[in-house]
């Protein structure tokens, strides 16, 4: 059921509160990346251990997001959004005060709870925004994923250049407090389904899903360090497959399952999730390769641009602006040409950006301009996914649907970053550890090939709502995406 019109909040204030909340997550996702060399030195650790500051965040996100999203559908999206912000604030303050790298890694894992803010925010928009504002709000909020991530790289570089690494977490803590205040003031609680609070929490399903995702992501992120054919890594993947099989059995026996497996086997939802996987993989080739390409000194490698961390962050910032702009342009495109159109444009732009970068990556400003194509593609793609999930998933499971779609994209991000890192490790200049230019070229061509796969996926996608269980309560309309169509 929707919030009565008379009680709707100010839509601009509501959107601002949700954007700040989601933005606080996306900033923290990438802010640590430029600080890794400094953290390695200050915490007296090695590069492999420091890399866990990224891995732990991904693991925490994958484990906690589907659980909080499903709980939001049952007990209130605003309530769970505040829970996520509170846990995010506590872990961020813990990270700022961390005495050693082990504590910092643990706090980073807990910070992963922040990813749940995106699916919760999308569910709030669907319930609380005026119908004519839903589509555009979906687009801008989802596009914050790419826009905030690019800004996080720049902010992290600026802070670490002149201040202690602890100030990164201090800055983030202030932003989280602001977000929580805005949510308390401007975000209403969404109306729950009758009897939702009486549904049992699927603890067993949550534990099994968390274990399966943890083993999968751990295997992906440790592939280079352990060796892709090592017994330990194969054991992780085998364990993940086994737990996913157990999840199928467990969820099919649950009266109130955490994951409606029939929904995620529904062909339109399956294709949408595969598209989300690619929207995670392709941009992360660029997130890993472009900063190194821009920062590599020319005297070390001929292809290097020799820019500082801050300079490279500034050069990549226009792509974040393109991401946000594309997210805002998704609604009219979908209204004119249908819900698949923005996702089709997304895959075309990312493919074009990858192809042109593979062929032509010798100039600083050319790289920045070409990355804008990828950024715009990401913006269209993120917004299109939010709209497609809303058009397929029953509205009382919207946060859960977006939560798992977000987790799938996170797995794709891990795959993309590890594939790019593997190329840099495998292709080096003879007699040195410096990556060869062919590592970058191959990475961009691989991203282009995956973009073509995405184009094919969109071509076969036929969005249609998933129908299961009892009819929705009176007054609850069938989901129609981000806007009526």
């Amino acid at each position: 059921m929707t919030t009565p019109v008379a009680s709707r909040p100010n839509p601009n204030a509501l959107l601002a509160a949700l954007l700040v909340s989601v933005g606080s997550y996306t900033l923290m996702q990438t802010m640590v990346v430029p600080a890794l060399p400094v953290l390695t030195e200050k915490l007296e650790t090695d590069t492999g251990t420091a890399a866990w500051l990224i891995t732990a965040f991904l693991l925490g996100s994958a484990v906690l997001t589907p659980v909080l999203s499903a709980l939001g559908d049952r007990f209130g999206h605003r309530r769970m959004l505040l829970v996520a912000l509170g846990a995010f604030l506590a872990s961020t303050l813990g990270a700022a005060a961390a005495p050693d790298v082990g504590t910092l890694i643990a706090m980073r894992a807990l910070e992963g709870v922040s990813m749940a803010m995106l699916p919760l925010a999308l569910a709030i928009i669907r319930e609380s925004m005026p119908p004519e504002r839903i589509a555009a709000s979906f687009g801008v909020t989802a596009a914050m994923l790419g826009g905030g991530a690019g800004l996080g790289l720049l902010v992290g570089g600026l802070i670490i250049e002149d201040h202690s690494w602890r100030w990164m977490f201090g800055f983030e803590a202030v932003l989280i407090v602001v977000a929580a205040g805005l949510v308390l003031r401007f975000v209403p609680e969404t109306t729950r389904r009758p009897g939702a609070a009486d549904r049992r929490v699927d603890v067993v399903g949550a534990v099994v899903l968390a274990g399966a995702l943890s083993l999968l992501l751990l295997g992906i992120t440790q592939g280079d360090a352990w060796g892709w054919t090592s017994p330990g890594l194969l054991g992780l993947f085998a364990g993940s497959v086994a737990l996913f099989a157990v999840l199928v059995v467990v969820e099919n026996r649950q009266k109130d399952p955490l994951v409606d497996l029939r929904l995620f086997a529904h062909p339109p939802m399956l294709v949408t999730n595969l598209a989300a996987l690619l929207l995670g993989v392709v941009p992360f080739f660029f997130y890993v390769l472009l900063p190194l390409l821009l920062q590599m000194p020319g005297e070390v490698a001929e292809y290097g641009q020799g820019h500082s961390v801050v300079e490279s962050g500034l050069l990549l910032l226009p792509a974040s602006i393109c991401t946000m702009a594309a997210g805002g342009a998704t609604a009219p495109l979908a209204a004119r040409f249908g819900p698949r159109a923005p996702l089709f444009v997304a895959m075309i732009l990312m493919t074009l950006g990858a192809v042109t970068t593979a062929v032509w990556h010798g100039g600083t400003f050319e790289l920045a301009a070409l990355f804008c194509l990828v950024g715009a593609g990401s913006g269209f793609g993120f917004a299109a996914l939010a709209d497609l999930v809303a058009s397929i998933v029953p509205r009382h499971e919207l946060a859960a649907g977006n939560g798992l779609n977000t987790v799938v994209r996170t797995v794709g991000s891990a795959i993309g970053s590890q594939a790019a890192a593997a190329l840099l490790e495998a292709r080096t200049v003879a007699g040195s550890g410096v990556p060869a230019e062919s590592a970058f070229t191959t990475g961009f061509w691989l991203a282009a090939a995956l973009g073509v796969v995405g184009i094919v996926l969109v071509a076969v996608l036929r969005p249609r709502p998933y129908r299961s269980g009892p009819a929705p309560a009176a007054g609850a309309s069938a989901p129609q995406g981000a806007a009526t169509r």
Side-chain angles (χ1 to χ4, degrees), residues 43-82:
L43 296 172
E44 299 179 351
T45 187
D46 56 80
T47 303
T49 302
W52 271 91
L53 295 170
I54 306 298
T55 303
F57 188 88
L58 290 174
L59 286 172
S61 298
V63 169
L64 296 169
T65 297
V67 176
L68 275 176
S69 300
L71 291 176
D73 285 332
R74 297 183 185 185
F75 302 112
H77 301 116
R78 176 181 183 267
R79 180 177 288 109
M80 285 301 115
L81 180 58
L82 288 170

Side-chain angles (χ1 to χ4, degrees), residues 47-48 51-60 62 213-228 233 236-237 284 410-419 421-422:
T47 303
W52 271 91
L53 295 170
I54 306 298
T55 303
F57 188 88
L58 290 174
L59 286 172
L213 289 171
S214 295
L215 293 179
L216 176 62
L217 273 174
L218 185 59
I220 292 171
T221 54
Q222 293 302 109
D224 285 340
W226 294 3
W228 290 100
L233 197 73
L236 288 176
F237 287 136
F284 261 78
T410 299
V411 172
S413 300
I415 293 172
S417 61
Q418 288 303 305

Side-chain angles (χ1 to χ4, degrees), residues 299-388:
E299 59 270 18
V300 175
E302 291 183 358
Y303 59 79
Q305 305 295 315
H307 294 287
S308 68
V309 171
V310 173
E311 288 172 343
S312 63
L314 285 170
L315 288 165
L316 298 178
L317 187 59
S320 299
I321 298 172
C322 291
T323 301
M324 296 297 296
T330 298
L333 182 63
R336 177 68 177 85
F337 298 103
R340 291 190 307 164
L343 191 56
F344 192 70
V345 171
M347 296 300 180
I348 290 176
L349 287 176
M350 290 196 300
T351 303
L352 181 60
V355 168
T356 50
T357 308
V359 173
W360 187 24
H361 51 262
T364 294
F365 293 103
E366 289 88 346
L367 282 172
L370 293 175
F371 188 42
C372 284
L373 289 176
V374 179
S378 297
F380 279 115
F382 295 151
L385 288 178
D387 194 25
L388 284 166

